[in-house]
């Protein structure tokens, strides 16, 4: 049932079961393919195709980017390390992030705080801002989201120098949108360089180089992004929209471990 191999035109060909198809596999060679053999061939081709897809995922995009003249994440990391000096990079190049990198964005104050393993490192001023205080609810509302997020993509070829995509909408946003009947919540929210924003956190080129380097070195899975309307560690957000108490309680709780020395110690009620 597995067919047979033979030299075409050779008297030494070994007869086998009745062939239902034939395929030339080399100069003067053929394989007589039975029904069972055909399915083995199809299965082998499918396996090869699957392996190609799996191999493409980690390497294919970088190959494509190279072909288009773009740069990989590794290229950008090397450029950042060889470029202008950075205290953050100099201090952390030989260290290890044990737990997490936390990025705390406070919209009212126009700042993005960097914390590593629970220690405050520095603050970056936002170089642009869009929308008002309050959550993002739909595509096109220009709002910067508010909530607790991660980073799911590093873009080394961003139009805004470098960028890191925030994983908005998260599970809370999707559930909220479903309750509100909002089908299109928007997306593609980034922390990036330059000084322009349509719902993103713009921090300028120097700042995004430091943040991009840290995340590339230590992994996206270690990053927590908390975006708040006001500093809920020390004040309340009185202008919250109705029905969002659970969101701001969660944001306040996520911010509470990150208290800077000399700052107010009493966290405001969400």
């Amino acid at each position: 049932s597995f067919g047979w191999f033979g030299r075409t035109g050779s008297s030494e060909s070994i007869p086998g079961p009745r062939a239902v198809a034939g395929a030339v596999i080399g100069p003067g060679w053929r394989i007589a393919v039975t029904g069972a053999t055909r399915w083995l061939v199809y299965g082998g081709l499918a396996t090869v195709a699957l392996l190609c897809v799996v191999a493409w995922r980690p390497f294919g995009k970088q190959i494509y980017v190279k072909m288009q003249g773009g740069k990989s994440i590794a290229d950008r990391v090397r450029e950042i390390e060889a470029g202008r000096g950075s205290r953050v990079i100099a201090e952390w190049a030989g260290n290890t992030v044990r737990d997490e990198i936390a990025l705390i964005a406070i919209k009212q104050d126009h700042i993005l705080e960097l914390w590593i393993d629970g220690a405050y490192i520095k603050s970056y001023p936002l170089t642009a801002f869009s929308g008002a205080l309050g959550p993002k609810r739909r595509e096109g509302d220009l709002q910067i989201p508010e909530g607790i997020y991660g980073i799911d993509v590093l873009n080394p070829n961003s139009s805004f120098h470098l960028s890191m995509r925030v994983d908005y909408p998260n599970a809370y946003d999707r559930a909220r949108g479903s309750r509100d009947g909002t089908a299109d919540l928007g997306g593609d929210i980034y922390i990036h360089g330059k000084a322009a924003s349509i719902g993103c956190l713009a921090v300028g080129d120097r700042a995004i180089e430091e943040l991009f380097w840290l995340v590339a070195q230590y992994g996206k899975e270690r990053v927590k992004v908390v975006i708040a309307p006001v500093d809920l560690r020390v004040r309340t957000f009185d202008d919250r929209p109705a029905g969002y108490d659970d969101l701001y309680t969660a944001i306040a709780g996520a911010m509470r471990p990150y208290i800077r020395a000399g700052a107010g110690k009493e966290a405001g009620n969400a």
Side-chain angles (χ1 to χ4, degrees):
S1 63
F2 290 94
W4 50 271
F5 290 94
R7 181 84 175 180
T8 56
S10 169
S11 61
E12 296 178 357
S13 296
I14 302 174
R18 179 173 175 268
V20 296
V24 176
I25 61 172
W29 287 84
R30 77 178 178 184
I31 177 173
V33 183
T34 67
T37 307
R38 180 188 293 124
W39 287 111
L40 283 176
V41 171
Y42 291 163
L45 291 173
T47 301
V48 170
L50 179 61
L51 290 174
C52 288
V53 170
V54 171
W56 173 264
R57 294 183 66 181
F59 305 113
K61 185 175 181 181
Q62 292 191 38
I63 294 171
Y64 175 79
V65 166
K66 288 287 191 180
M67 291 172 64
Q68 299 301 311
K71 296 186 177 181
S72 68
I73 293 173
D75 290 335
R76 290 299 193 187
V77 166
R78 285 191 293 269
E79 289 179 357
I80 292 167
E81 291 174 343
R84 297 169 295 181
S86 163
R87 178 181 65 84
V88 170
I89 293 175
E91 289 181 359
W92 286 93
N95 290 336
T96 300
V97 174
R98 297 184 303 277
D99 186 14
E100 69 173 10
I101 298 169
L103 302 175
I104 313 295
I106 304 170
K107 291 165 63 172
Q108 183 182 62
D109 298 338
H110 289 202
I111 61 168
L112 178 68
E113 296 179 358
L114 169 64
W115 296 71
I116 300 179
D117 290 338
Y120 172 76
I121 305 301
K122 68 185 296 185
S123 293
Y124 303 97
L126 300 183
T127 56
F129 190 86
S130 70
L133 302 185
K136 182 173 182 63
R137 305 193 203 192
R138 63 185 64 85
E139 171 70 22
D141 62 6
L142 305 182
Q143 286 292 101
I144 297 171
E146 294 173 359
I148 304 162
Y149 302 99
I151 295 293
D152 63 1
V153 170
L154 293 180
N155 181 6
N157 296 287
S158 172
S159 299
F160 297 91
H161 188 48
L162 297 166
S163 63
M164 308 186 300
R165 190 172 71 185
V166 176
D167 65 352
Y168 168 90
N170 61 15
Y172 174 89
D173 299 318
R174 290 191 294 271
R176 182 83 203 190
S178 179
R179 290 198 301 270
D180 294 345
T182 304
D184 191 352
L185 299 173
D188 284 336
I189 304 298
Y190 287 84
I191 301 171
H192 60 63
K194 305 300 180 189
S197 172
I198 306 177
C200 294
L201 294 168
V203 295
D205 292 357
R206 184 70 175 272
I208 195 59
E209 286 181 0
E210 292 185 348
L211 297 174
F212 188 96
W213 181 89
L214 281 168
V215 176
Q217 290 293 99
Y218 296 108
K220 301 188 299 292
E221 67 280 359
R222 292 183 181 270
V223 181
K224 180 199 303 185
V225 180
V226 182
I227 308 176
V230 302
D231 192 343
L232 294 173
R233 297 167 296 192
V234 296
R235 64 179 65 95
T236 60
F237 180 36
D238 297 327
D239 296 327
R240 76 185 67 184
Y244 280 82
D245 288 359
D246 56 343
L247 173 63
Y248 294 106
T249 297
I251 294 173
M255 296 179 72
R256 198 163 289 124
Y258 306 100
I259 301 292
R260 292 174 56 181
K265 299 296 182 182
E266 294 299 324
N269 295 322

